[in-house]
Amino acid sequence: MIPRYTRPEMARIWEPENRFRIWFEIEAHACDAQAELGVIPKEAAAAVWERGKWEIDRIDEIERETRHDVIAFLTNLAEHVGPEARFVHQGMTSSDVLDTCLAVQMTQAADLLLDDMDKLLAVLKRRAYEHKDTVTIGRSHGIHAEPTTFGLKLAGHYAAFARGRERLVQARADIATCAISGAVGTFANIDPRVEQHVAAKMGLTPEPVSTQVIPRDRHAFYFSVLGVIASSIENLAVEIRHLQRTEVREAEEYFHPGQKGSSAMPHKRNPVLSENLTGLARIVRAAVVPALENVALWHERDISHSSVERMFGPDATVTLDFALARLTGMMDKLVVYPERMQKNLDDLGGLVFSQRVLLALTQAGMSREDSYKAVQRNAMQVWEKGGNFLDLLSSDADVAKHISRETLAPMFDMTYHTKNVDMVFKRVFGE
């Protein structure tokens, strides 16, 4: 990814230095296991650890001739290890190194993403409790529906990210497998105990059937989980974008001193962070379909998946890491306007209580169809001409036959719609 959307810690996972360090550890641990089994001299395994070095520029130079990255690495390693290097990579194939390394990198990336999600969840929980009782209008199809609270909105997003975190934990476990099984995965030239040893040392589990490559359904699941998390980011970002619209103005991104909203219009305060998050979510999701397509490889292996993973492995994780951090910062400083929320609630003269009136009329003996007609015709007058919904209902003869104004008035009470917020919070936060 470009530096604009890259955080250093995640970037380091995908840099050549980390990749070659992991390659070295895989090879060195394999040598230890081979030595314990008596396949290679113990002195050779010790020499790999003692003299094992590599230079990125030298590897690149060798690869320009060999056109093979693992061979280039092994050649450079041998230049430092010396004669004992002939025992390195015994019975192994390139995919043993590449796939096991990728599994390590993806678990490292998942650990950072899980930490990102913990920070986001902490902020969402704090802001949800802060606005647990901040009444606002709920919308369906973008149109006023019934009252809710801003805290309840945020609790819903918290729950989505909590589910995403659980999925990521599962995806991390699913991807954390090791393959040291040799050509076509039969262990013909390498003892399965080598794989078990390397897996234990690298924090992985042995892949049950690797067929020379680790099955790509694991990677597809991993990237699909990242895509779902990205969609949850976009879902919250779109909510903030809508709430910041001039006509709504119920919440907005923090506008820093000295910040400029437009090169042409000095008055502008744009939802640039949430718009940016919407775009970043598209980048993360772009990895999902190629990852699914990578599942179908020719026979025991091919490398059609390789180019995809070399690009989307870093891009998807780096982008999601940045997006989660940006969303956390945005929600931490989000400016909320309860007074504007109340104004918007009051704008339609009480129409948001229409369902409660409808239900009351049916309870009072009016058919549901007639109740709906009576409530709707008065509601449409408010929509089209303005006015007070309670006044119109009170003067409607059909309504008055069943319910008096004195009975109707208490139905226009906001607290009716917030009475179960505590219960929902207990479900979400377990408190």
Side-chain angles (χ1 to χ4, degrees):
M1 277 300 296
I2 62 174
R4 186 182 185 92
Y5 304 125
T6 301
R7 301 207 302 164
E9 193 173 1
M10 182 66 82
R12 280 193 290 271
I13 291 174
W14 301 104
E15 287 171 355
E17 182 61 34
N18 187 51
R19 181 172 73 253
F20 292 135
R21 180 190 59 78
I22 297 170
W23 286 13
F24 172 75
E25 290 179 3
I26 293 168
E27 295 284 4
H29 287 309
C31 285
D32 284 344
Q34 298 273 38
E36 286 297 319
L37 293 169
V39 177
I40 69 172
K42 291 186 177 181
E43 295 78 11
V48 173
W49 286 107
E50 291 168 5
R51 300 197 293 270
K53 294 180 182 178
W54 61 90
E55 296 85 27
I56 296 171
D57 290 344
R58 177 60 177 147
I59 294 170
D60 291 342
E61 179 186 357
I62 298 169
E63 186 180 357
R64 283 193 288 272
E65 178 183 348
T66 63
R67 307 299 175 92
H68 196 293
D69 53 356
V70 175
I71 291 175
F73 170 77
L74 293 171
T75 301
N76 181 221
L77 183 65
E79 292 173 342
H80 295 282
V81 174
E84 292 88 348
R86 70 184 187 275
F87 296 110
V88 175
H89 206 68
Q90 287 271 315
M92 295 170 60
T93 187
S94 298
S95 293
D96 291 336
V97 178
L98 294 171
D99 279 13
T100 301
C101 174
L102 182 58
V104 172
Q105 289 175 297
M106 292 175 76
T107 56
Q108 290 175 343
D111 288 339
L112 289 184
L113 294 172
L114 288 168
D115 183 63
D116 292 339
M117 296 193 77
D118 287 340
K119 292 173 181 173
L120 174 60
L121 288 167
V123 167
L124 289 177
K125 180 178 180 178
R126 175 173 58 80
R127 299 307 305 266
Y129 271 97
E130 178 185 348
H131 292 286
K132 180 167 68 74
D133 300 314
T134 302
V135 182
T136 188
I137 186 62
R139 297 175 173 88
S140 56
H141 306 275
I143 308 301
H144 283 204
E146 292 188 349
T148 182
T149 76
F150 191 64
L152 198 56
K153 280 177 177 274
L154 296 182
H157 290 285
Y158 175 97
F161 284 109
R163 292 190 297 271
R165 190 190 189 284
E166 292 175 359
R167 295 175 187 128
L168 185 55
V169 169
Q170 185 179 351
R172 185 201 184 281
D174 200 59
I175 200 63
T177 65
C178 170
I180 308 290
S181 56
V184 303
T186 61
F187 297 95
N189 294 298
I190 193 165
D191 193 297
R193 286 174 289 181
V194 176
E195 181 181 70
Q196 293 170 3
H197 178 82
V198 174
K201 291 295 184 180
M202 304 300 293
L204 307 173
T205 58
E207 178 61 48
V209 183
S210 56
T211 71
Q212 192 165 332
V213 293
I214 291 174
R216 258 47 197 181
D217 60 284
R218 295 184 182 276
H219 303 72
F221 176 52
Y222 183 98
F223 286 110
S224 295
V225 168
L226 300 193
V228 172
I229 294 171
S231 291
S232 295
I233 291 174
E234 182 180 15
N235 189 28
L236 180 49
V238 168
E239 176 72 16
I240 301 307
R241 289 169 64 187
H242 281 309
L243 295 180
Q244 188 163 335
R245 285 180 297 140
T246 308
E247 295 81 4
V248 180
R249 295 182 64 193
E250 293 179 357
E252 69 172 347
E253 298 171 10
Y254 178 74
F255 198 78
H256 292 266
Q259 183 175 341
K260 305 292 190 294
S262 166
S263 63
M265 297 167 283
H267 72 279
K268 294 296 293 296
R269 291 161 68 114
N270 301 327
V272 292
L273 298 179
S274 47
E275 289 177 338
N276 173 252
L277 288 169
T278 296
L280 294 177
R282 295 169 184 165
I283 297 296
V284 178
R285 286 197 302 268
V288 176
V289 171
L292 293 170
E293 292 172 338
N294 278 353
V295 174
L297 302 179
W298 284 21
H299 306 298
E300 277 60 54
R301 71 156 295 195
D302 64 47
I303 63 165
S304 60
H305 63 283
S306 177
S307 56
V308 176
E309 291 164 358
R310 288 174 191 260
M311 286 190 285
F312 278 129
D315 283 0
T317 54
V318 166
T319 305
L320 187 58
D321 171 59
F322 181 89
L324 286 167
R326 169 154 285 185
L327 180 61
T328 300
M330 184 183 84
M331 296 307 298
D332 181 53
K333 291 188 174 183
L334 187 74
V335 182
V336 181
Y337 298 110
E339 298 82 4
R340 181 71 183 194
M341 291 176 177
Q342 186 61 53
K343 181 180 182 301
N344 288 339
L345 274 165
D346 297 337
D347 264 356
L348 291 182
L351 290 190
V352 295
F353 301 104
S354 70
Q355 181 180 190
R356 193 176 182 192
V357 176
L358 166 67
L359 296 176
L361 286 171
T362 61
Q363 290 289 322
M366 204 173 188
S367 73
R368 183 175 178 86
E369 184 177 343
D370 289 342
S371 298
Y372 197 103
K373 288 179 180 178
V375 175
Q376 187 182 45
R377 68 169 171 262
N378 287 284
M380 292 306 100
Q381 287 192 53
V382 177
W383 268 109
E384 295 162 8
K385 300 178 182 178
N388 183 282
F389 191 39
L390 175 59
D391 290 343
L392 288 172
L393 287 169
S394 300
S395 60
D396 186 293
D398 292 334
V399 174
K401 289 178 185 177
H402 295 84
I403 301 179
S404 66
R405 183 184 179 92
E406 290 72 23
T407 303
L408 278 172
M411 297 179 191
F412 287 67
D413 176 14
M414 290 290 180
T415 60
Y416 174 82
H417 292 275
T418 61
K419 61 182 181 292
N420 289 312
V421 169
D422 285 337
M423 179 273 296
V424 176
F425 265 59
K426 289 178 181 178
R427 286 181 172 182
V428 174
F429 301 108
E431 297 176 5

